[in-house]
Amino acid sequence: MEPLRRTRDWMWDRLSLGPVAAQLAHKTVPVHRYSVFYYLGGMTLFFFLVQIATGILLMLYYRPSAENAFESVQFLMTSVPFGWLIRSIHSWSANLMILTAFVHLATVFFAKAYRPPREATWVTGCVALFLALAFGFSGYLLPWNQLSFFATKVGTEIAGVVPGIGPWMLRFLRGGDRVTGATLSRFYGWHVAILPAITTIVLGLHVLLVQLHGMSVPPTLEEEAKRRRPMRFLPHYALRDLFGWLLALGVLAALAALFPWELGEKANPFAPAYADIKPEWYFMFMFQTLKKVPGGQFLGIEYEVFPILLFGLAGLVLLLVPFLDRNVTRKGRSRGFTAAGVLVLIYMVGMTAWGYRSLTPVWVVVTTLALIGLFAFVVRHREVVEREERP
Ligand code: HEM
């Protein structure tokens, strides 16, 4: 045991871990009826780490060319031991990461956690979400199957419609005029090198800012949080965080094993356009909106350009929420932003359900809320606090 202890002390000393340990020992987390929402960012982070681990394993077999990509994934799924499981975990975890990131965004939005001094935490989180969506878009094409090929064709076409920069964006994304092997290599580069590097930096900054500022309390619950003793991060909150990761792992493992990710047919660029082109579910609300726009022009501009510009503007507004919502700083509340948030959520879920012609998106929302409720019940903050308060 002595060599182990000495190695630990050596590392502790050389890495100057003393101040970090002291910070963690004093760190507390506010306790109120919505404290459960503090676990969602951690769960999102967990899925991101799963993505890195499984993505590296997939890279060992994947070959990024139009001739070999599909076959390499097929080989991985049929001949490599547990290859199908690693691929299934990677695909499911990507979707769960985006789902938890959306729920995390919604909770910090409604809790007004973007109030000063957390503007930068919000902005870095928002950028991380956009990067996660870019991961999804670039990863979708990699198996080079019919569905992903035609969805990428349509997706990049939409980018090409933007006035002015559209044609340039289309060529930039595709690496030429058409979706070809050049597009695949380009998407692969983004997916395994550029995006992971930027995302790691952005998420590192995001989590660092959370550590520096601590967790915020929603304005309406400040009195309640003052009455209740905050929970110590070590060990109470950290153990609950770990339990959240375990729950996330359970959901992920069940989905990946019971519903293995399918591969479909190899892309055939000369086949007639695929009848039922579907983007990833998180782009469905935009896709469905565009599908419902009638053909025609206004002042020489195609009708579909307007919703595309509107979605771009909405992304910018989302990024700038902390700077636009001035009421929340002055009055501690901002009903207008809350109402707008509810309407946007209803629109997104409604359009997604319409796009799929199914109520599944509504059930996903209900199940997610039920799981969060169950988690809140299991981690019961109140009991530990009462026990701690006893002399
Ligand atoms: C995409 C990946 C993301 C990861 C891995 C992540 C991770 C985290 C973690 C671990 C925390 C601390 C615990 C918690 O509050 O849940 C946190 C807090 C926070 N996040 Fe994120 N986050 C992500 C996306 C976002 C997004 C999209 C936003 C909003 C646009 C956001 C805004 C915030 C804010 C404002 C806080 C502070 C909450 C408070 O003080 O009450 N994050 N994030």
Side-chain angles (χ1 to χ4, degrees):
M1 284 295 113
E2 184 56 20
L4 254 179
R5 198 185 58 78
R6 282 177 53 185
T7 315
R8 195 202 60 192
D9 288 352
W10 188 89
M11 296 275 286
W12 191 268
D13 204 35
R14 297 308 180 279
L15 298 177
S16 297
L17 289 178
V20 180
Q23 157 90 0
L24 285 180
H26 289 106
K27 186 179 156 144
T28 57
V29 177
V31 173
H32 50 76
R33 75 189 79 158
Y34 294 132
S35 289
V36 67
F37 293 143
Y38 295 143
Y39 298 96
L40 291 164
M43 289 186 196
T44 314
L45 194 60
F46 168 75
F47 288 125
F48 180 65
L49 298 178
V50 170
Q51 285 312 93
I52 295 188
T54 51
I56 291 173
L57 292 177
L58 291 177
M59 266 172 75
L60 301 180
Y61 287 93
Y62 181 75
R63 280 179 286 157
S65 72
E67 294 75 34
N68 297 320
F70 182 85
E71 283 76 5
S72 67
V73 179
Q74 206 169 36
F75 175 75
L76 176 91
M77 290 181 68
T78 52
S79 307
V80 179
F82 295 107
W84 67 272
L85 187 60
I86 298 296
R87 174 169 182 251
S88 195
I89 292 179
H90 192 75
S91 309
W92 275 110
S93 174
N95 286 283
L96 290 174
M97 174 180 166
I98 292 182
L99 180 70
T100 47
F102 269 128
V103 182
H104 173 54
L105 181 147
T107 57
V108 292
F109 175 82
F110 290 118
K112 315 282 177 202
Y114 50 80
R115 282 172 298 150
R118 293 183 180 76
E119 295 96 324
T121 316
W122 172 273
V123 171
T124 49
C126 224
V127 174
L129 178 69
F130 295 153
L131 289 165
L133 297 178
F135 260 117
F137 187 65
S138 54
Y140 201 42
L141 179 68
L142 300 186
W144 200 250
N145 56 24
Q146 283 287 79
L147 188 61
S148 67
F149 176 83
F150 284 106
T152 305
K153 199 162 171 269
V154 173
T156 45
E157 244 159 41
I158 292 172
V161 173
V162 177
I165 55 168
W168 175 83
M169 265 180 21
L170 183 122
R171 285 184 60 82
F172 174 75
L173 286 171
R174 290 184 175 177
D177 291 324
R178 291 176 302 120
V179 177
T180 59
T183 322
L184 186 61
S185 326
R186 198 162 271 226
F187 274 37
Y188 182 68
W190 280 98
H191 195 79
V192 307
I194 305 171
L195 290 174
I198 306 177
T199 310
T200 305
I201 296 169
V202 171
L203 277 184
L205 206 61
H206 187 67
V207 174
L208 178 73
L209 286 168
V210 173
Q211 296 312 314
L212 293 178
H213 293 307
M215 304 308 298
S216 73
V217 175
T220 47
L221 297 181
E222 267 164 11
E223 282 309 310
E224 183 183 324
K226 262 187 219 150
R227 268 186 276 120
R228 300 175 66 179
R229 182 191 281 194
M231 181 182 280
R232 275 197 282 133
F233 181 77
L234 287 177
H236 300 309
Y237 182 84
L239 282 173
R240 284 166 170 73
D241 232 353
L242 206 64
F243 179 61
W245 286 33
L246 212 62
L247 180 76
L249 178 66
V251 172
L252 172 62
L255 288 171
L258 298 176
F259 306 100
W261 210 257
E262 289 181 8
L263 181 57
E265 284 168 41
K266 184 173 176 169
N268 175 6
F270 304 108
Y274 203 68
D276 195 19
I277 297 173
K278 275 197 195 75
E280 295 274 68
W281 59 268
Y282 33 88
F283 296 125
M284 184 52 110
F285 71 99
M286 295 190 267
F287 187 69
Q288 181 64 8
T289 309
L290 293 179
K291 250 169 76 175
K292 292 296 152 197
V293 175
Q297 289 191 341
F298 178 71
L299 298 177
I301 302 172
E302 296 284 339
Y303 283 158
E304 62 174 352
V305 170
F306 295 99
I308 293 174
L309 291 180
L310 215 65
F311 285 129
L313 188 70
L316 189 67
V317 168
L318 184 72
L319 191 75
L320 298 178
V321 157
F323 311 99
L324 299 172
D325 188 0
R326 303 317 301 175
N327 270 350
V328 80
T329 325
R330 278 188 275 119
K331 298 187 200 153
R333 58 184 62 223
S334 60
R335 294 215 176 94
F337 272 76
T338 304
V342 172
L343 288 179
V344 168
L345 275 184
I346 294 175
Y347 182 80
M348 286 169 72
V349 177
M351 287 308 266
T352 309
W354 192 12
Y356 284 111
R357 290 190 170 55
S358 146
L359 282 180
T360 308
V362 180
W363 288 118
V364 171
V365 173
V366 173
T367 312
T368 308
L369 293 179
L371 277 176
I372 294 174
L374 182 71
F375 185 73
F377 175 74
V378 176
V379 294
R380 280 185 301 239
H381 293 90
R382 181 175 295 160
E383 221 172 70
V384 167
V385 173
E386 280 170 1
R387 225 180 273 144
E388 273 183 356
E389 275 171 357
R390 274 183 215 135

